[in-house]
Amino acid sequence: LSSDVGAGADTALGLLLAWAGASRAQVVETSIEPIGDANWTATAGRTVGSGNSVLQAEAGWPGIGFTYLKGLDERSDLGLHVAFNYGFEGSTNSLAGVNVAVPCRRTLATTGDTALAFQMQPGVSLYGNNGARFGVGGPIGVVAGFHVSTPLTLDVGADFPVFVSFTNPA
C-alpha cells in the first residue's frame, strides 16, 4: 500500500512539474503617446507648446540654474528660473549671488524647419558685494532655431543684458 501511495505522489508531482514547465511568461506592451508636436525645444525658436512642461538644468558661467517652462499655447511659454551664481552676470567678476526670474518666450515666425522666437527673463538678483547688491532686470533677446534632424536643432541667439542696481553701487 505504501508503494502505491508513493507512486501516486510521484505521478502527481511529475504532472505538476510538466504543467508548470509548459506555462509561458506574459509580455505586456505599453506605449506613451507624446502630447502635441514633439518638434520643440527649451532653448531654440520653437516653444514647448500647449499643455507641455519642461524642466531645464544648466551649468557654466556665471552659475548653476534651473528653469521650469509651461506651454501656455502653441506659441507661448511662461515659467520660473532660479540660479545660484558664482560670477556676476555679463562679466568675468567672481561674485556670489542668487537670481529668480520669470522666463517668457514667444515664437514670432516659423518657416519650414526654421523658427524665430522672442525671449526675456525679468527678475530680481541679489549679490554679495562688500554688502548686498540688489537689482532687477534680465536678458531680452531673440533666438533662431534650425531643425536639422529629429534629435538635432541648432540655434543662434542674441541677448541684451539688463540689470538695474539699487544698492552697492546704485
Side-chain angles (χ1 to χ4, degrees), residues 42 56 66-70 72 76-82 99-106 118-123 139:
Q56 173 188 359
F66 302 93
T67 303
Y68 170 78
L69 291 172
K70 176 74 175 170
L72 299 178
S76 303
D77 293 342
L78 188 65
L80 178 68
H81 173 78
V82 177
N99 170 263
V100 178
V102 179
C104 306
R105 299 185 332 138
R106 175 89 176 158
F118 169 78
Q119 60 186 9
M120 64 179 182
Q121 289 192 24

Side-chain angles (χ1 to χ4, degrees), residues 7-26:
D10 288 342
T11 303
L13 181 61
L15 288 173
L16 183 63
L17 290 174
W19 178 74
S23 66
R24 297 181 186 169
Q26 295 184 8

Side-chain angles (χ1 to χ4, degrees), residues 73-99:
D73 56 39
E74 290 302 320
R75 302 175 64 85
S76 303
D77 293 342
L78 188 65
L80 178 68
H81 173 78
V82 177
F84 306 99
N85 296 330
Y86 40 82
F88 188 65
E89 297 174 74
S91 75
T92 58
N93 298 336
S94 294
L95 194 61
V98 64
N99 170 263

Side-chain angles (χ1 to χ4, degrees), residues 98-150:
V98 64
N99 170 263
V100 178
V102 179
C104 306
R105 299 185 332 138
R106 175 89 176 158
T107 299
L108 300 175
T110 56
T111 304
D113 289 335
T114 303
L116 179 69
F118 169 78
Q119 60 186 9
M120 64 179 182
Q121 289 192 24
V124 296
S125 297
L126 179 64
Y127 287 93
N129 186 34
N130 297 323
R133 184 173 196 176
F134 174 76
V136 297
I140 299 172
V142 294
V143 63
F146 308 98
H147 191 70
V148 177
S149 65
T150 302

